[in-house]
Amino acid sequence: MKNLKMLYIALIAMVTGVFGACTVGFEPGAPATGHQVSFAPTNPTSVGFTGDIAENTQKLTLTRPNAGAALEVFIISEIEKGAESFFTIPESVSFAAGETTTELVYTVDQSKLENNKSYKVSFYIDETMTTPYGYAEWTISYALNPWELIKDANENAVKGKLRGVAMMDGFWGVSSSEEINVNVYQHKQLKQYKVENPWLTIYKLAFGATEEELAGQFSFVPADLIIDYTDPNNVTIPQQSIGITENAYGYGEGFVIGQGGTLADGVITFPVGGIGYIHSALAAQYGWIPCNSDGSFRLVLPGVELTDYSLAVAYDGMDVAADNKTAAVKLKFTYGDDVTGIKYLVVTDNIEENPTEALATLFAGENENILEVENFVQGGKEVGVKVGLQTGFYSIVAAPVDKNGNLNQKNATVLAFYFPGLGDSAHPCEVGVITEKCSVVYP
């Protein structure tokens, strides 16, 4: 393994308050032996009760890589002080012969839970039966109805999309704009979202490594990502552990924090440097390392369909016909991937300050002067048009067509321009030439 600890520290010292970076190599751990029992990564990290008595029975899945003889596994449970009587948890669980999975079935007395309060229970597998490449412990937070999984109109669970590697890019010197599908919960009392246990997947993307390769340097405990949107114009990530501890260099447990984010149209973003990341052993010396260095962090809430109906238009010069008597203005449109067409209207004078009337005419669609881009190709990014005009000031108002064939008013655009045309061909052309130093002519 490349030991880049000193390089990492030197970089931080050189760029105080900017980005620290660290490139990490990986060495595979020793081959696992024994029964290799672990908690399945699909187990929940939080359980919200609704009061239904059927929810009193809970299950935790354990796995082993090889089916073999029947096996009893001892489980240690650590229950939050004061809540011991709320949970009834067996001290062992058994794998049946020939089975690779089993379930620890336990009960929770919901009637003893206080509303808006959470209770934590940690489960531990007998260490003589665990594997370094699986979860030997699992912590679950229980509460009476605080979080609700976001669903669609038909009550089907739907996934959100998270671009999360940016939360750690300034620390590790990594990058990825790939999105992952995540479960997103909404708090019933607070204006908060919870992204369920995204960190292991984020790390795998960041380092291009498998869980087994990462286990040689890191240990993982499931942890959710909480995002507070009390102020949609200043969304925050409360300081929280990511559940990942760096062991090879002794950096310690990882933490994340964020401020200055925005929630708009079901999408949460943060500004460049708006997310901080640090490991516990480095915090006192270096403080928070600014991350989201390319601004790519994004959480798309479940059910939100991202569309790109952006549209811009630019004056692109003049086209003169072969007869040298007629000219046309060239206009270039730049548009988003979801635009299915472009309609536009050219009017006289500069109306950029007050385009309301012209836009209303365009959206009404009844004016004979409204034109449509004929050579449009969806996803083509750019397209040019030519419009025959006389010399003068003009404005163009344009709007993209959405997937339903309607004009998208939000992304309409206006551009004023002067078109010189060919002018009066009877004017003589006079040219005066001098030769002198520029510094003399223009002191």
Side-chain angles (χ1 to χ4, degrees), residues 19 35 58 60 80 136 167 170 194 231 234 252 270 283 300 362 366 372 381 400 413:
F19 300 120
H35 296 292
Q58 294 289 316
L60 196 61
E80 185 175 313
M167 288 188 286
K194 178 178 70 173
D231 181 356
N234 184 26
F270 278 84
V300 181
L362 177 65
E366 299 175 354
E372 185 169 4
K381 306 292 186 184
T413 186

Side-chain angles (χ1 to χ4, degrees), residues 40-336:
T42 53
N43 284 311
T45 56
S46 62
V47 175
F49 296 105
T50 65
D52 184 348
I53 192 172
E55 297 172 345
N56 286 358
T57 300
Q58 294 289 316
K59 299 177 180 180
L60 196 61
T61 302
L62 289 83
T63 67
R64 59 177 178 173
N66 301 310
L71 176 67
E72 183 180 17
V73 180
F74 289 99
I75 302 295
I76 299 172
S77 57
E78 182 180 353
I79 303 172
E80 185 175 313
K81 187 176 181 179
E84 294 89 344
S85 64
F86 302 177
F87 300 86
T88 303
I89 303 172
E91 295 182 349
S92 67
V93 65
S94 296
F95 286 88
E99 296 294 331
T100 58
T101 62
T102 189
E103 291 180 335
L104 175 69
V105 181
Y106 61 100
T107 59
V108 183
D109 188 347
Q110 293 184 64
S111 65
K112 295 182 178 180
L113 304 183
E114 296 181 30
N115 198 23
N116 298 330
K117 183 176 180 181
S118 62
Y119 306 84
K120 286 188 177 181
V121 177
S122 295
F123 300 83
Y124 301 90
I125 299 172
D126 178 357
E127 62 181 10
T128 64
M129 296 193 175
T130 59
T131 168
Y133 305 126
Y135 295 105
E137 63 180 82
W138 197 268
T139 299
I140 302 179
S141 177
Y142 304 85
L144 189 59
N145 224 16
W147 295 100
E148 183 177 24
L149 181 65
I150 298 179
K151 300 180 181 180
D152 63 17
N154 297 318
E155 289 299 305
N156 297 315
V158 289
K159 299 282 188 179
K161 293 184 178 297
L162 175 66
R163 214 158 49 191
V165 171
M167 288 188 286
M168 48 187 278
D169 60 5
F171 184 93
W172 289 114
V174 293
S175 65
S176 173
S177 59
E178 186 172 344
E179 290 182 314
I180 61 174
N181 294 324
V182 290
N183 287 327
V184 181
Y185 294 78
Q186 189 169 20
H187 201 285
K188 289 189 173 181
Q189 285 80 37
L190 306 175
K191 291 187 175 182
Q192 291 184 344
Y193 292 114
K194 178 178 70 173
V195 180
E196 186 177 20
N197 192 24
W199 294 105
L200 175 58
T201 304
I202 288 173
Y203 260 62
K204 289 163 66 176
L205 281 178
F207 295 116
T210 65
E211 182 176 354
E212 289 76 14
E213 290 173 324
L214 290 170
Q217 180 167 344
F218 303 97
S219 58
F220 304 89
V221 175
D224 301 321
L225 171 65
I226 306 298
I227 301 177
D228 190 303
Y229 64 97
T230 301
D231 181 356
N233 296 313
N234 184 26
V235 177
T236 62
I237 298 175
Q239 180 177 331
Q240 56 199 275
S241 169
I242 66 172
I244 295 178
T245 300
E246 196 287 324
N247 301 312
Y249 304 137
Y251 292 166
E253 185 178 9
F255 291 85
V256 68
I257 194 171
Q259 63 181 2
T262 302
L263 169 59
D265 299 324
V267 180
I268 293 175
T269 56
F270 278 84
V272 171
I275 298 175
Y277 180 100
I278 196 63
H279 279 268
S280 56
L282 304 174
Q285 186 174 0
Y286 301 111
W288 293 99
I289 306 301
C291 294
N292 198 33
S293 56
D294 60 358
S296 66
F297 174 91
R298 184 176 72 187
L299 173 63
V300 181
L301 296 175
V304 174
E305 181 182 3
L306 284 183
T307 52
D308 184 0
Y309 290 126
S310 59
L311 178 66
V313 61
Y315 180 87
D316 199 31
M318 180 172 61
D319 182 78
V320 180
D323 60 9
N324 205 33
K325 295 181 180 180
T326 56
V329 61
K330 295 195 296 182
L331 299 167
K332 182 172 70 174
F333 293 101
T334 305
Y335 54 93

